[in-house]
Each structure stands twice: as C-alpha cells, then as structure tokens.
Amino acid sequence: MEDCLLPVMNTGLRGVDVASSKICDVRGKQGKLIYRGFLIEDLAQNASFEEVCFLLLYERLPRKQELEAFNQSLKQKRKVPKNIISFLKTLPKEMNPMDVLQIATPLLIQTDKTIGESGIENILFSAENLIAGIATITAAWDRIRNKKTVVPPDNDLNHGANFLYMLNNEKPDDETIRFFDTSLVLHAEHSFNASTFTARQVASTRAHIYAAISAAIGSLSGALHGGANVRVMKMLKEIGSVEKIDAYINDIFNSKGLIMGLGHAVYQTDDPRAIILAPMSKRMGQIAGQPQWYELSRELEKKGKAAFKAKKQVEIFTNVDFYSASFFNAMGIATDLFSPLFAISRVSGWAAHVIEEQYAMAAPKPSLYRPGAKYVGNYCGPDECVFIDMNNR
C-alpha cells in the first residue's frame, strides 16, 4: 500500500505549459495581468466591459462604430426564450445558483441557428449569445428563487447596469454602474486557470462552445476557484470584528488552516486586481453604510501578512477574491451569487479561449488534449492480477 501513496510529478499541472495562447499573460513575479497586450490597470480605468469583450474576441480594441454595433448585437441577445424562464420556475428554490446556471446555459443553444456550421463568424455569434444570455439567466434565477417577478432587459443600459437592473428591478446610480463595470473587466480573463483549462479541453474534442462553457461553469463552481470569494465572505462574518482578528489568525495557524483570499497559485506579489478592487470595496461600503467589511478585510490583510512573515518566514499576498467579497457584499448581492457574477464576466475570456483552441489561432493546428498519468497502482506486486472466480474469492 505504501507504493500507492508515492507523490505524482507535476500534481495540479503547476508550472507546466500545456498550450500556446495570445489572449492573456499573467506575470506572477511582476504582478502584471495583460489582456491581448493591454495592462489590466489601463483597461480597468479606461475601457468598458463591452470593449474588453470585443478585445478578447477580436484581438483588438474596437473603433467607435464597431463598439456600437457590438453593443447592439449583445442587447438583441439579452432576452432569453420563454421556455428557459419556465424551466427555471420548475426547479427547487434552494438549488445553488451555479448548479442552475450550469443546467440552463446549454439551453441558449436553441436560439443559435449557426451552431454546427463552420466559420469563425458563427462561433463569434455563439460567444455573444452566451455573454448576453448568462447574465439574464443569473438575474432571472435570483428573482425566481426569491418569489419575485422576472425583470426583462432594459436595452437603454449597458451590460453591467442592465444586469443590476434585472437583479433588483431598480436602475443603479452612475457610481455603482462604473464600479460594477470595472469589476467585470477585472474578472474577464486570467489565462489558463481551472475553468479556462476546462473550456479548452472540452473545445479540443470539437464539442460546440455551449458544451465547453457549461463545463467551465462546473469547474468555476468549485470552492477553490469561483467559490473562493464566497469563502472569504464567510470568513469575514465568522471573524465579525477587528478585535477578533488576532485570535482568528492564531486559530488558523494552530489548525494549519488557510486565511482565504491570501495566497495565489501564480502571483508572487499582490494580485493587481485586488489592488484595484480594494478602494472600490471601501467606497461601496461607505455608500451602503457598511464600512465594517472593508475595514475588517484591510486589518486582516495587514495582520495576516505579518503573521506569515513572523511565524513561517514567508511573504503572502492578496488575491482578487480577498476584496471582491466585501465589494459585492456592499452592493447588496447575495453571497451565493458571487460565483455566477464571476461567470457573467469570465464567459468572455472562456469564449476567446474556445475560439483560439478550435481554430488553432496560437498553434500550428488544433490538437486533442490527452495528458498522461503516472500509474502508481500495486495490487498484485509487479505482475498483473489473476482473476479469481467469485465463488473462490
């Protein structure tokens, strides 16, 4: 049995490059995140989410008329078929929103007459259909599960503002719109994270984009991926106040646990997205009259970093989830909607990767993903087992 417990090389594919890509560059040592050549700081400050979607899908920033046409195309795809809304109403109201989103997303295929047809223009149509439809499904489910009337899209609003309107049946103020739009920009893409790798792996089989995106949603639902900011918010509520931080950190070290939101698989400095989100979280907390969650996060960051330095002699850094939790909470968004919000944004990046994978836009030709595995089974010694009839076992 001891042989079965031998460590497997490259567990989790950490540090293993599995494909070439022109979409995103994450420079962990420098703390840089780059979408198609553009720093995330520049995009967050200057670009709308729709501009970033266009950039990811078309490899360049849009001109004014192109952006107007792209916006109109997304708006035309916001209204999902009535049978999807009817289906959502049949589901148990206690279902997790991510499970609902994964179930309902493939149903968007019914409005896509281009599916199965060759040509990059057809998969781009599908990508727009998914970007628009996933937002509508998420807002509709939250209202249905809370026994509220589903709010139809408002095509006078941009993508982010329209989502908040469909969610709350109230048009958000300009500052909230700007902050939320920025949060969508920050979450749109992050290279070969778990859900993107999932989307590309499924796409490599020549499955259609709806199958790939649905699989990515399933990956995102995991607690260590899209669910990480959910765990951050639960942690903050468990701590409760600044005065209890020291005791919480001591408990974490004694139990060999984790401070959620600190540490990242790639960054060796503070996540640039966390740096942008922190002041947004502070301001949204002030607007909502709930400054305590940002203040608690800020103090936990300081003391958590200091504790890791003192007790383990290592530097630890904030990731995007650390401040997105208090930010979305201050916006009045239910904690279990944090992961769907991630999907509403990241679908743009997923779609770009599916297109790149299937059209070999960064490789000589498409290739089916088929990794190997180190077999460590040792059931009958070095030889194969002899099959024994059931009566003689």
Side-chain angles (χ1 to χ4, degrees):
M1 286 299 293
E2 290 182 1
D3 290 342
C4 296
L5 301 178
L6 291 173
V8 178
M9 294 178 62
N10 299 326
T11 298
L13 295 177
R14 298 291 174 89
V16 178
D17 293 334
V18 298
S20 300
S21 178
K22 298 190 294 183
I23 299 170
C24 181
D25 188 12
V26 182
R27 301 179 186 175
K29 290 183 180 180
Q30 300 166 295
K32 287 187 176 182
L33 172 59
I34 301 170
Y35 296 177
R36 298 231 188 249
F38 291 91
L39 284 168
I40 190 61
E41 290 86 351
D42 291 338
L43 293 172
Q45 183 175 352
N46 300 301
S48 67
F49 177 63
E50 288 87 341
E51 283 181 272
V52 169
C53 289
F54 190 100
L55 171 66
L56 293 173
L57 295 176
Y58 292 92
E59 300 189 71
R60 60 178 177 81
L61 289 171
R63 300 179 182 89
K64 184 176 181 180
Q65 289 183 336
E66 289 174 324
L67 181 59
E68 290 174 354
F70 183 72
N71 285 340
Q72 286 304 314
S73 184
L74 287 179
K75 289 176 180 180
Q76 291 169 8
K77 297 175 176 67
R78 285 177 178 173
K79 190 174 182 179
V80 303
K82 291 182 179 178
N83 61 17
I84 294 181
I85 302 300
S86 298
F87 169 70
L88 294 177
K89 291 179 179 179
T90 69
L91 299 176
K93 303 300 183 289
E94 63 274 12
M95 281 189 68
N96 186 285
M98 282 299 283
D99 294 331
V100 173
L101 188 59
Q102 187 177 15
I103 293 169
T105 293
L107 300 179
L108 293 169
I109 199 171
Q110 65 187 288
T111 62
D112 194 337
K113 296 180 181 179
T114 72
I115 199 70
E117 297 181 11
S118 60
I120 196 168
E121 68 279 1
N122 293 320
I123 196 171
L124 284 166
F125 177 95
S126 303
E128 293 176 8
N129 203 37
L130 283 156
I131 292 169
I134 283 177
T136 302
I137 288 171
T138 300
W141 171 245
D142 190 61
R143 295 197 60 86
I144 288 168
R145 67 173 179 164
N146 288 300
K147 300 179 181 180
K148 297 178 181 179
T149 303
V150 173
V151 178
D154 184 339
N155 287 347
D156 289 332
L157 300 173
N158 68 20
H159 187 76
N162 175 65
F163 170 76
L164 294 176
Y165 168 70
M166 291 190 297
L167 188 69
N168 300 316
N169 196 24
E170 181 178 315
K171 293 183 180 180
D173 62 81
D174 290 343
E175 190 171 25
T176 299
I177 291 172
R178 179 167 58 84
F179 282 164
F180 187 69
D181 197 65
T182 299
S183 75
L184 295 179
V185 170
L186 296 175
H187 287 87
E189 171 55 17
H190 208 250
S191 190
F192 274 52
N193 54 82
S195 55
T196 298
F197 179 72
T198 300
R200 290 192 71 129
Q201 189 276 326
V202 174
S204 78
T205 71
R206 301 289 176 87
H208 57 65
I209 190 172
Y210 294 88
I213 298 302
S214 179
I217 293 170
S219 178
L220 186 69
S221 69
L224 296 183
H225 190 14
N229 55 5
V230 174
R231 295 175 71 184
V232 170
M233 198 64 226
K234 289 181 178 178
M235 172 187 69
L236 294 175
K237 290 183 177 180
E238 180 182 345
I239 297 171
S241 67
V242 171
E243 292 74 23
K244 297 180 180 179
I245 289 176
D246 290 334
Y248 181 83
I249 291 175
N250 286 333
D251 288 343
I252 288 294
F253 276 94
N254 291 336
S255 64
K256 297 182 180 181
L258 299 172
I259 299 177
M260 297 308 302
L262 293 185
H264 195 276
V266 179
Y267 291 114
Q268 298 171 41
T269 182
D270 285 332
D271 187 330
R273 299 167 298 175
I275 294 172
I276 296 169
L277 273 166
M280 292 165 50
S281 170
K282 180 179 182 179
R283 176 59 183 153
M284 284 305 306
Q286 292 171 343
I287 293 172
Q290 297 180 357
Q292 70 271 25
W293 302 119
Y294 166 79
E295 293 168 359
L296 180 56
S297 299
R298 188 75 183 109
E299 196 64 23
L300 178 61
E301 177 189 359
K302 291 179 182 178
K303 292 190 173 184
K305 287 180 174 180
F308 269 87
K309 184 71 172 177
K311 297 184 179 183
K312 294 193 174 183
Q313 291 74 53
V314 296
E315 301 279 356
I316 195 166
F317 304 101
T318 53
N319 61 46
V320 68
D321 302 300
F322 193 80
Y323 283 106
S324 68
S326 54
F327 172 74
F328 289 136
N329 185 76
M331 296 188 77
I333 295 172
T335 303
D336 64 359
L337 280 186
F338 290 1
S339 295
L341 288 183
F342 198 137
I344 287 170
S345 172
R346 185 58 59 84
V347 62
S348 56
W350 291 334
H353 279 275
V354 169
I355 293 168
E356 185 177 73
E357 183 69 46
Q358 293 192 330
Y359 284 85
M361 298 178 75
K365 63 178 182 179
S367 181
L368 173 68
Y369 282 25
R370 180 57 174 90
K374 180 178 176 61
Y375 178 70
V376 295
N378 187 20
Y379 301 100
C380 303
D383 300 320
E384 296 85 358
C385 296
V386 176
F387 188 86
I388 302 173
D389 181 82
M390 184 175 290
N391 293 327
N392 296 314
R393 290 176 197 167

